[in-house]
Amino acid sequence: MKHPNIKLCTSLFSFALEWNSGKYSLEQLMSKVRELNLGPGIEIIGFQSLKGFPYLSDNTIVDVRRLIEQFGFEPACLDANVDVAIRRDRLLTIEETVEYIIPQIWAANKLGFPVLRVQMTAKPEVIKKLVPVAEKANVKLGMELHTPYLIDHPAVVALRELYEEMDSPFLGFIPDFGTSMRQIPDALLHSFREVGVTDELIAITKEIWQKDIPTPAKFGELQERASALGATPPQIGRLNMAFSMNGRQDVNAWKEIIPQTVHLHGKFYGFDEHGDEPSIDYAAILKVFYEGGYRGYVSSEYEGTAFTDEFTGFEMVQKHHALCKKILENIQEKEYARTV
Amino acid sequence: MGPLDNFILADDALQATPTGFTLQFHSHWYRSLPLSCMSCKAIINGQAIDESEVFIEANGNKYPFSEMPNLYKEWLFITDGARLHVNGVEPLQKGKQYNIEFKLDLFIPYILVGREGNPLLASSTVTKQLTCN
């Protein structure tokens, strides 16, 4: 018998263009995702899709639960935001941050989501105080590891130490594939051209990005070489995005935290003519998680809308599902062939 | 900044009032933010607006423009618009076209950058010919 596989999921983050256009209600958006068969998992960002989040009325809770059930989705992950800079005069204190997240944990509980995405702006002291709430609400806290938070980043190391100390099944990680990229997405590079960046500058940026040096050293080298070619400060600012948005962590580095992985963010930007994602090695990453024993969801998270409106979120998530499905079936077939 | 900028000013964003005009805008982030995380600047036909005569409205609540940095409890849902009420100017003419340059700065409260750990600034400027309603 074949083993269970990693499951597909769609994050409504992928439809930023469609959602911000105001042309879709939540029901219409979810209906379209169902029609295109982009489940079974569904991921919702509270502050994107739910007005009044995290203080939801009973009616809203009933409505959202009804939609999830009606369209046959499995609630995979609700995304919290840890908005520590919501005040302009100062950052939220540890206590205030805890109080900011608690209602978001309960929103996940009431909506039926087993996992709540949290962000690195929640320091270990905050997470420690949230564990009893997460346990009571039966909601796992999944810390998103988004670039620049590689698994050996000092802040991540501190969190891993806390996880070890607490040893709670309610603490986990959500690796974001944008942390392990093989090249800068073309869509991002094309957007640089719109602000007058030359092909020569783009080539230099790509070359520096590939180097095994710390990110600050990359900023420095780019500053020096791009200035010498006459790049303006705003252009250099845009090029710096290539270093800050796209991580180069070895895919094998994830192995250490697979037992604590509670969800996956399948970030993607675009596809080549074969349906492959040129900037992220999906075959390699999914193999690492599958072989490491992960059997949760990989959630399609299309972020190309940050640079281009050439494609709809729907067509891009369809392509992403097709790619992941092909890779996962291939991995499973090979394993099955080995065991029979 | 990106394609979401296209939603900042809708075609019907500009409206005449007896004391001036209103300008409705939408955020260009993918999720809701409170007004404290926003700042904006409008120029109409090359003329900057005197901010002391401006009020900001969201969810039916109206505040002096200078209060915006303190409004961390007034959320602007991502598909809702906020409205600037501009007074003390010659009222606009309905049906006439005006050139609007609008700069919207968003201070992203969960992404801290630089040595100081300041919120990421996501700034967009859109310029549009709008017919006054």
Side-chain angles (χ1 to χ4, degrees), chain B residues 109-128:
Chain B
Y110 58 92
I111 304 177
L112 305 181
V113 295
R115 272 197 202 133
E116 309 288 316
N118 289 319
L120 174 76
L121 171 63
S123 179
S124 283
T125 301
V126 285
T127 304
K128 212 166 171 179

Side-chain angles (χ1 to χ4, degrees), chain A residues 67-173:
Chain A
L67 290 177
I68 292 171
E69 200 184 317
Q70 176 187 330
F71 294 122
F73 289 121
E74 295 169 12
C77 181
L78 180 74
D79 290 29
N81 280 103
V82 184
D83 297 326
V84 293
I86 198 168
R87 294 179 62 122
R88 293 282 289 286
D89 54 344
R90 61 170 176 80
L91 296 181
L92 296 185
T93 63
I94 297 293
E95 265 322 310
E96 286 169 337
T97 310
V98 169
E99 292 303 317
Y100 193 77
I101 301 171
I102 286 175
Q104 301 188 65
I105 297 176
W106 284 109
N109 162 284
K110 288 175 191 165
L111 293 170
F113 285 92
V115 174
L116 181 76
R117 182 283 303 269
V118 289
Q119 297 171 307
M120 286 297 289
T121 34
K123 292 180 177 164
E125 301 98 294
V126 170
I127 297 298
K128 190 172 184 175
K129 286 173 188 268
L130 289 173
V131 171
V133 184
E135 286 176 353
K136 203 171 161 196
N138 196 25
V139 170
K140 290 180 181 175
L141 302 178
M143 180 60 77
E144 183 178 44
L145 295 180
H146 189 284
T147 180
Y149 295 106
L150 311 186
I151 68 155
D152 58 354
H153 187 288
V156 179
V157 171
L159 189 67
R160 291 174 66 190
E161 284 168 5
L162 175 80
Y163 278 17
E164 203 168 309
E165 178 199 319
M166 302 287 289
D167 194 25
S168 167
F170 290 91
L171 293 176
F173 290 110

Side-chain angles (χ1 to χ4, degrees), chain A residues 20 47 51 81 83 85-86 88, chain B residues 3 29 31-32 36 72 80 109:
Chain A
N20 283 29
F47 287 110
K51 191 167 179 173
N81 280 103
D83 297 326
I86 198 168
R88 293 282 289 286
Chain B
W29 205 241
R31 54 155 285 212
S32 315
S36 58
Y72 62 91
D80 287 346

Side-chain angles (χ1 to χ4, degrees), chain A residues 13 16-17 19-22 45-52 81-88 91 100 117 119 121 238 304-309, chain B residues 1-4 6-7 27-32 34-39 59 68-69 72 75 77-80 107-112 117 119:
Chain A
F13 173 86
L17 265 181
W19 185 245
N20 283 29
S21 76
I45 289 119
F47 287 110
Q48 179 183 34
S49 301
L50 307 170
K51 191 167 179 173
N81 280 103
V82 184
D83 297 326
V84 293
I86 198 168
R87 294 179 62 122
R88 293 282 289 286
L91 296 181
Y100 193 77
R117 182 283 303 269
Q119 297 171 307
T121 34
R238 289 289 289 267
T305 44
F307 332 115
T308 179
D309 55 5
Chain B
M1 219 186 92
L4 298 179
N6 294 335
F7 305 118
S27 161
H28 56 277
W29 205 241
Y30 72 90
R31 54 155 285 212
S32 315
L35 294 183
S36 58
C37 296
M38 301 178 186
S39 176
N59 309 307
M68 270 180 83
Y72 62 91
W75 285 79
F77 189 59
I78 189 62
T79 51
D80 287 346
F107 304 95
I108 308 304
Y110 58 92
I111 304 177
L112 305 181

Side-chain angles (χ1 to χ4, degrees), chain A residues 202-274:
Chain A
I202 288 174
I204 288 172
T205 306
K206 286 166 91 167
E207 180 205 319
I208 299 172
W209 183 78
Q210 289 287 355
K211 290 189 176 184
D212 289 318
I213 55 174
T215 304
K218 292 182 186 179
F219 289 140
E221 185 175 339
L222 179 71
Q223 175 73 35
E224 201 174 302
R225 294 175 64 182
S227 300
L229 289 167
T232 63
Q235 288 174 341
I236 296 173
R238 289 289 289 267
L239 292 173
N240 281 337
M241 277 172 62
F243 301 148
S244 56
M245 287 180 64
N246 308 297
R248 273 193 72 241
Q249 176 169 269
D250 181 343
V251 295
N252 291 302
W254 293 120
K255 285 178 183 169
E256 288 179 39
I257 58 154
I258 291 175
Q260 293 162 304
T261 297
V262 292
H263 188 66
L264 287 177
H265 275 171
K267 175 71 57 62
F268 65 100
Y269 293 93
F271 299 96
D272 63 17
E273 65 274 26
H274 309 294

